[in-house]
Amino acid sequence: MGSPSAAGRERGGAAKGLAATSAGVGTVERSRKLVVCVPQDPRVLDSMLPYLTAYYGNPHSRTHAYGWESEAAMENARRQVADLIGADSREIIFTSGATESNNMAIKGVARFYKSRKKHIITTQTEHKCVLDSCRSLETEGFRVTYLPVKKNGLIDLKELEAAFQPDTSLVSVMTVNNEIGVKQPICDIGEICRARKVFFHTDAAQAIGKIPMDVNNMKIDLMSISGHKIYGPKGVGALYVRRRPRVRLEPLQSGGGQERGLRSGTVPTPLAVGLGAACEVAQQEMEYDHKRILQLAERLVTKIMSEVPDVVMNGDREHRYPGCINLSFAYVEGESLLMALKDVALSSGSACTSASLEPSYVLRAIGTDEDLAHSSIRFGIGRFTTEEEVDYTVQKCIQHVKRLREMSPLWEMVQDGIDLKSIKWTQH
Amino acid sequence: IYFLLLFVFRTYAIRRIRDAFRENKNVADPAKIEELLNKAKANLEVIHRQVTIGQMYSTEKLVIESPGNT
């Protein structure tokens, strides 16, 4: 089947095999982010294929059998998504992904109630699309409060309560953060919002199918769901919109009135079916996956931290999803570590690390020092991660960190007992 | 046939099947047993189909699949 090559390939579902020939170019970016970009589960692909081949009807065409089959499949998928979160299938709207869902939820709710309510609350660590939607609303005349987070990445509930104003229409807090993996106190936030009759939206893209979510227990009114984060297809997601009490929103897309008039456009049957199947598989495998991922995560963290000193885990140790780990390696030059681990990610095919040169706003929000923020690596562990991959990544990581520290003058100084913060650097 | 699946799916399948087998080894209720067997048969068919597709769109082996090649 071909000789092993030093440049690995991105692991992907067979469907991604279609892109295998062009994968060489795209591999560098995609292979590094298992958390963000995961392979499609073969069971999901299997469920989708009939709708890409034989059953190609438009689910909105009411007048012939092709349409009916597609519609039935789409409705079944809707039910599968709803079951995963404890909702009714009429409350699920298919979208093109969590970004669209977030846009719809935030802009839609804000604009619908804008005659009476002009204030929105969110956090500083939200996903870019949430922050950007809020920013664009600000230009429309809305006021937005961006709640800060504590050092551990969680919001302060007292601050949330204090932030409410008489004309607050929406609170948006993501369930699990995609960079540092912290899990916000969703149940508590839900209670607070319900008591004040303010809608609560959560971007649950990283949480769905990995931790149990129930929109009624957690008092969630709107929830964004992403297909490709739960081993489903890219290009599809969903938005949960509560019916009782009814959440109204102004649609982003105008058109034929599909999806209860909230999101016009033909629903992509194969993708919707894939999303549904992914949700069903996730529901079945949640407990098994979680146990395994927890084990692997502990293995990774324990191994690294026992071999290498001065490693900081970003984000609360307890309130987190184990599969997303963000570690900062002190006294290591960030760019070099990134380059070194880029090779690791490529050569092991392990899509389980990710790093960038730009210190992320999330790390800044939790108060990470500039230098630590530059040398942080995110490790993603998922359903398909093997022990060998974890061990290999850990080994390479330790090896490179040690190597880079040997070369680092800062490290030398620290070893000699010098306090770096007391140094006065002179100009040359 | 397993060897033809993508490495990770292969390891996943082997591990998952073995663990599910162990988990269910004490099931005595015949109706439940039949249900589990049917599910297993369906999964087997999925594996067969996906292996075929995997063969059609195959990629190169990962480094980690060939030990000693670091």
Side-chain angles (χ1 to χ4, degrees):
Chain A
M1 243 181 80
S3 53
S5 72
R9 295 283 168 186
E10 189 212 1
R11 290 178 279 108
K16 292 228 192 88
L18 281 165
T21 47
S22 59
V25 175
T27 302
V28 175
E29 291 315 301
R30 290 191 295 164
S31 72
R32 285 189 290 128
K33 302 180 182 180
L34 180 61
V35 171
V36 179
C37 177
V38 300
Q40 238 177 213
D41 192 302
R43 289 166 285 195
V44 168
L45 175 64
D46 198 73
S47 70
M48 286 169 64
L49 283 170
Y51 298 95
L52 286 164
T53 50
Y55 300 97
Y56 54 81
N58 184 323
H60 310 292
S61 303
R62 292 290 168 77
T63 55
H64 50 72
Y66 293 121
W68 300 330
E69 275 155 2
S70 283
E71 188 180 6
M74 180 179 78
E75 292 306 319
N76 187 45
R78 206 187 292 278
R79 182 195 51 81
Q80 286 168 319
V81 176
D83 281 349
L84 182 60
I85 59 175
D88 181 274
S89 59
R90 287 167 298 179
E91 297 173 308
I92 303 291
I93 311 282
F94 287 116
T95 64
S96 64
T99 300
E100 186 187 339
S101 303
N102 282 332
N103 268 266
M104 267 174 76
I106 295 171
K107 292 178 180 164
V109 170
R111 287 173 186 161
F112 189 88
Y113 294 99
K114 72 171 179 246
S115 53
R116 290 176 294 125
K117 303 206 172 174
K118 291 224 141 198
H119 180 239
I120 297 171
I121 301 175
T122 183
T123 74
Q124 288 177 1
T125 53
E126 292 297 305
H127 195 270
K128 263 290 172 72
C129 56
V130 170
L131 294 177
D132 241 42
S133 301
C134 290
R135 217 159 288 147
S136 87
L137 284 177
E138 282 184 302
T139 65
E140 287 177 28
F142 291 88
R143 296 180 328 273
V144 183
T145 301
Y146 300 92
L147 288 174
V149 292
K150 300 185 280 200
K151 282 225 107 173
N152 62 2
L154 299 173
I155 62 164
D156 186 335
L157 292 170
K158 293 268 175 338
E159 285 193 26
L160 170 63
E161 289 180 335
F164 278 97
Q165 291 172 23
D167 66 340
T168 304
S169 60
L170 182 69
V171 169
S172 177
V173 179
M174 73 193 323
T175 313
V176 171
N177 187 283
N178 54 310
E179 297 229 16
I180 55 182
V182 290
K183 201 164 60 165
Q184 300 289 351
I186 296 293
C187 293
D188 295 330
I189 301 174
E191 291 276 356
I192 294 174
C193 292
R194 191 53 72 80
R196 289 166 178 68
K197 298 215 170 22
V198 172
F199 292 130
F200 175 34
H201 164 254
T202 183
D203 177 356
Q206 293 289 347
I208 292 272
K210 304 192 167 124
I211 55 173
M213 299 284 294
D214 186 303
V215 292
N216 291 315
N217 291 347
M218 297 171 162
K219 307 215 166 26
I220 295 172
D221 300 306
L222 293 140
M223 183 197 281
S224 303
I225 295 163
S226 169
H228 69 111
K229 302 277 164 55
I230 48 169
Y231 314 100
K234 288 195 177 59
V236 70
L239 178 66
Y240 157 76
V241 182
R242 181 176 282 281
R243 288 181 83 228
R244 297 227 171 85
R246 174 159 249 140
V247 177
R248 309 292 301 276
L249 51 93
E250 201 185 88
L252 275 182
Q253 262 172 227
S254 318
Q258 287 89 355
E259 300 295 286
R260 280 171 58 200
L262 295 176
R263 201 270 184 185
S264 298
T266 303
V267 170
T269 311
L271 294 177
V273 166
L275 176 62
C279 287
E280 189 170 271
V281 171
Q283 193 168 18
Q284 289 163 355
E285 302 288 341
M286 205 188 303
E287 199 186 311
Y288 178 84
D289 283 346
H290 193 271
K291 214 164 47 171
R292 239 190 113 248
I293 289 173
L294 187 58
Q295 265 172 0
L296 288 175
E298 276 170 13
R299 187 194 183 99
L300 185 145
V301 174
T302 314
K303 274 201 162 162
I304 291 185
M305 289 198 158
S306 65
E307 294 269 331
V308 174
D310 297 304
V311 179
V312 176
M313 181 190 283
N314 296 308
D316 195 271
R317 256 209 132 133
E318 270 184 47
H319 297 112
R320 57 167 38 251
Y321 170 63
C324 174
I325 303 160
N326 193 307
L327 300 176
S328 288
F329 298 91
Y331 316 119
V332 173
E333 209 272 299
E335 190 170 336
S336 317
L337 182 59
L338 165 62
M339 290 298 144
L341 285 177
K342 239 183 180 167
D343 291 337
V344 170
L346 280 182
S347 62
S348 71
S350 157
C352 83
T353 63
S354 152
S356 74
L357 287 174
E358 170 70 33
S360 85
Y361 60 91
V362 173
L363 289 179
R364 244 184 253 144
I366 64 173
T368 309
D369 285 334
E370 208 51 35
D371 49 335
L372 271 186
H374 272 288
S375 44
S376 70
I377 306 285
R378 171 183 39 172
F379 299 88
I381 297 174
R383 180 183 296 161
F384 300 108
T385 312
T386 61
E387 266 154 23
E388 290 92 358
E389 281 178 282
V390 170
D391 288 343
Y392 184 80
T393 307
V394 164
Q395 180 210 352
K396 285 289 162 179
C397 186
I398 293 174
Q399 183 187 336
H400 286 293
V401 168
K402 284 193 169 149
R403 180 182 66 88
L404 288 168
R405 280 184 176 168
E406 292 293 306
M407 293 195 275
S408 159
L410 289 179
W411 178 245
E412 249 182 76
M413 288 195 256
V414 166
Q415 299 295 81
D416 291 336
I418 301 174
D419 173 20
L420 291 182
K421 299 237 189 300
S422 66
I423 297 175
K424 287 200 164 51
W425 301 99
T426 56
Q427 299 269 42
H428 284 271
Chain B
I1 52 166
Y2 295 124
F3 299 101
L4 301 172
L5 270 175
L6 230 46
F7 175 70
V8 281
F9 297 137
R10 182 183 351 134
T11 51
Y12 175 76
I14 293 174
R15 191 192 338 119
R16 188 71 189 90
I17 292 167
R18 184 191 61 210
D19 288 343
F21 194 73
R22 285 200 190 127
E23 207 181 299
N24 291 318
K25 68 180 180 201
N26 292 322
V27 174
D29 171 26
K32 188 85 176 44
I33 291 178
E34 185 169 341
E35 184 195 326
L36 288 171
L37 271 177
N38 286 336
K39 256 202 271 195
K41 281 198 195 122
N43 277 330
L44 181 60
E45 282 170 28
V46 171
I47 292 177
H48 275 287
R49 286 194 289 265
Q50 293 304 313
V51 164
T52 312
I53 291 174
Q55 274 177 289
M56 290 194 267
Y57 296 101
S58 64
T59 65
E60 294 180 18
K61 276 216 190 107
L62 301 172
V63 168
I64 214 162
E65 295 183 70
S66 341
N69 184 44
T70 313

